[in-house]
Amino acid sequence: MSSLTNQNIFTVSRLNAEVRLLLENEMGIVWLMGEISNFSAPVSGHWYLTLKDSRAQVKCAMFRGNNHRVTFKPQNGNQVLVKARLSLYEPRGDYQLIIESMQPEGDGRLQQQFDELKMKLAGEGLFAQTNKKLLPEHPKCVGVITSKTGAALFDILDVLKRRDPSLPVIIYPTLVQGEDAAIQIAQAIGRANTRNECDVLIVGRGGGSLEDLWCFNNEIVARTIAASQIPIISAVGHEIDVTIADFVADMRAPTPSAAAELVSRDNSHKAQSIGHYQQKLFSAIRYYLAEQKQHNVALLHRLERHHPRHQLQRQNQQLDELQLNLERAMNRYVARHQQKLERQQYKLQLHSPVSKLAERKVSLSRLEQKLLDAMDRKLLKTRHQLALAAEKLDTVSPLATLKRGYSISQTEQGKIITNASEVKTGDTMITRLSTGEVHSTVL
């Protein structure tokens, strides 16, 4: 213990900082392919995810400055190819990848292979302008290596027919797409060199996706073009399409039609010659710019290792993590108080006068119904008694006597006549029968 000094003793923070610098300086940029899981995109705009395969996983972060260039929306389960810088998130001691670019696995893998082959061949000098052969000023015969049924061939023939109908054309048909296309293209170039019939070759096809044009990014095709004794014009795709064949060829034409114009003569052949040299100048500039870009990228990577942006990115990541922790704590706090409130509401409902009033209301309804039932029974009984009394009354009623054939005589004043002396001659007498009345005059 006596040999230890303060410089030999690490704090956890110092250890993590040293490990981070070691990872960033030693590993540099890596390419990684894997499946996305645990993807999240906080309001800060940064992305956090895990890349995994069948046996391992690694945490990743992609900050807002880089992820806005991604052309698709990452989702859990996506297979992707990423270009990343290895680093360490010091607060947790977790090593992680800081992703700089992301592509779907298929397109990304092709682009990676394209970049690797481009750097390899450029390092060997295959793109150097000093290796380029000059095109003949006045070609005597033109060879075309493309599909015999493709639109590119007909575009080339149409231009040659319009500009220089007397120029001989030899077609070396080949596949320009698929697994066997690269071998056939290389064989066609070799066959044209063996037969030595042409003094310039046009190699190309129409436009398409990176996968469609992939045979022109094949190393065999590139080395065959570089070894050709006949000058070759690469005319692959549209003007925006770039292939390895374009870098190796002696001249690159933006389209098959433009390649036909380069090898044909018309009244503006001087302008064509200027265009030829202009294309060579553009090719030289592009090659120079590509070399400078590669050099600048290397310097940029060295600069980025010490860039304060990395510290800001780590702090942004820590801020996002703290924000998530705060949100989770707030959610737990709200949930606890919500449960407490629900329990208080339940207790209040148990002792609430509303429930007691409801019970009393039900009881009152039952009593009311009983009262109505008792009233109905009393009314029915009273009606029955009344009917019995009416029946008894009917038996002693004078109306009943009338129904048996008797009658009642009255004076006009309504006095009942019980004795004949109570009337005299000329009086009107009213005799009431069971049904109706009889008026008569006493004689």
Side-chain angles (χ1 to χ4, degrees):
M1 294 292 293
S2 60
S3 62
L4 290 176
T5 64
N6 290 336
Q7 293 181 349
N8 300 127
I9 301 175
F10 280 75
T11 64
V12 176
S13 299
R14 180 185 168 195
L15 175 63
N16 283 353
E18 293 289 341
V19 172
R20 178 181 62 80
L21 291 175
L22 183 64
L23 288 174
E24 292 180 351
N25 292 332
E26 292 298 325
M27 291 296 294
I29 298 298
V30 297
W31 288 87
L32 187 70
M33 185 172 63
E35 177 185 334
I36 294 178
S37 64
N38 300 323
F39 178 82
S40 66
V43 294
S44 62
H46 310 312
W47 291 350
Y48 302 101
L49 59 134
T50 299
L51 284 180
K52 66 178 184 178
D53 57 20
S54 60
R55 294 184 296 178
Q57 63 181 18
V58 61
K59 293 183 178 180
C60 305
M62 191 172 192
F63 297 105
R64 183 173 52 193
N66 291 322
N67 64 35
H68 76 276
R69 294 192 297 268
V70 178
T71 58
F72 68 102
K73 178 63 175 177
Q75 295 180 350
N76 290 332
N78 287 160
Q79 290 285 341
V80 295
L81 178 71
V82 301
K83 177 184 178 184
R85 173 174 47 84
L86 194 60
S87 184
L88 182 122
Y89 184 50
E90 296 178 28
R92 285 200 308 265
D94 293 340
Y95 98 89
Q96 64 180 4
L97 291 177
I98 306 301
I99 299 175
E100 296 184 355
S101 66
M102 178 185 296
Q103 297 172 315
E105 178 186 354
D107 293 345
R109 187 180 299 174
L110 291 180
Q111 187 63 46
Q112 181 189 13
Q113 294 175 3
F114 177 91
D115 292 337
E116 289 175 352
L117 181 59
K118 179 182 174 183
M119 292 180 64
K120 175 183 177 181
L121 298 181
E124 296 179 15
L126 266 68
F127 301 165
Q129 194 64 32
T130 55
N131 294 331
K132 307 292 184 184
K133 293 178 286 294
L134 294 176
L135 300 183
E137 186 175 356
H138 302 295
K140 297 179 181 179
C141 183
V142 176
V144 180
I145 298 177
T146 189
S147 170
K148 63 181 179 181
T149 59
L153 176 61
F154 295 102
D155 290 342
I156 292 172
L157 295 178
D158 285 344
V159 172
L160 294 179
K161 181 179 180 180
R162 172 173 51 83
R163 290 170 56 86
D164 197 352
S166 63
L167 181 63
V169 179
I170 298 178
I171 300 170
Y172 301 92
T174 178
L175 293 176
V176 290
Q177 184 175 338
E179 295 182 0
D180 299 329
I183 296 297
Q184 289 196 19
I185 293 171
Q187 290 174 346
I189 295 173
R191 187 163 57 252
N193 276 268
T194 301
R195 290 164 56 172
N196 197 24
E197 302 166 308
C198 309
D199 47 6
V200 65
L201 290 175
I202 297 175
V203 179
R205 57 155 285 165
S209 65
L210 180 61
E211 186 175 359
D212 294 337
L213 306 179
W214 192 246
C215 57
F216 293 95
N217 294 318
N218 188 282
E219 185 173 358
I220 294 176
V221 172
R223 295 192 181 278
T224 304
I225 292 175
S228 174
Q229 298 300 312
I230 302 175
I232 292 180
I233 300 175
S234 175
V236 181
H238 303 299
E239 187 170 359
I240 60 173
D241 297 322
V242 179
T243 65
I244 297 296
D246 294 332
F247 292 106
V248 182
D250 301 296
M251 177 68 67
R252 185 229 177 201
T255 62
S257 298
E261 292 183 358
L262 286 174
V263 300
S264 57
R265 294 171 296 177
D266 62 359
N267 293 334
S268 59
H269 64 276
K270 291 183 180 180
Q272 178 184 348
S273 178
I274 294 174
H276 167 71
Y277 289 111
Q278 186 180 33
Q279 287 294 329
K280 290 186 64 178
L281 178 60
F282 287 163
S283 297
I285 292 174
R286 279 196 297 268
Y287 178 72
Y288 174 77
L289 291 177
E291 285 186 328
Q292 291 301 311
K293 182 178 180 181
Q294 184 176 349
H295 180 65
N296 289 338
V297 167
L299 293 176
L300 180 62
H301 288 163
R302 290 175 57 189
L303 178 62
E304 285 185 345
R305 293 193 190 104
H306 307 285
H307 201 287
R309 180 176 64 250
H310 302 326
Q311 179 66 22
L312 292 176
Q313 290 173 348
R314 285 190 293 273
Q315 292 176 351
N316 283 333
Q317 184 175 355
Q318 188 176 11
L319 180 62
D320 289 335
E321 186 174 275
L322 292 174
Q323 182 179 1
L324 290 175
N325 291 336
L326 177 61
E327 289 178 356
R328 285 193 289 266
M330 291 178 62
N331 290 335
R332 288 195 298 268
Y333 177 82
V334 171
R336 285 198 303 270
H337 282 72
Q338 182 68 28
Q339 292 175 356
K340 183 177 180 181
L341 180 62
E342 290 176 354
R343 288 196 297 270
Q344 295 296 335
Q345 287 179 342
Y346 178 72
K347 290 181 180 179
L348 182 62
Q349 288 177 355
L350 291 178
H351 304 285
S352 174
V354 175
S355 59
K356 292 184 178 181
L357 286 175
E359 293 176 358
R360 295 298 177 87
K361 186 176 181 180
V362 172
S363 177
L364 181 62
S365 297
R366 286 198 296 267
L367 292 174
E368 183 179 5
Q369 187 61 44
K370 287 182 180 180
L371 178 61
L372 291 175
D373 292 343
M375 290 175 63
D376 289 342
R377 289 193 298 271
K378 181 67 176 175
L379 182 61
L380 183 63
K381 182 178 179 181
T382 303
R383 285 178 178 174
H384 182 65
Q385 292 175 349
L386 180 62
L388 292 176
E391 185 177 354
K392 289 180 181 180
L393 181 63
D394 188 61
T395 57
V396 295
S397 173
L399 296 177
T401 304
L402 293 176
K403 288 180 180 180
R404 291 196 297 270
Y406 294 96
S407 63
I408 298 175
S409 297
Q410 296 175 308
T411 64
E412 287 181 326
Q413 290 76 26
K415 181 181 178 182
I416 296 175
I417 302 172
T418 58
N419 194 325
S421 61
E422 295 178 356
V423 295
K424 59 182 181 294
T425 301
D427 289 343
T428 299
M429 186 175 61
I430 301 172
T431 303
R432 185 176 180 182
L433 304 175
S434 175
T435 302
E437 296 178 342
V438 175
H439 292 259
S440 57
T441 304
V442 178
L443 298 177

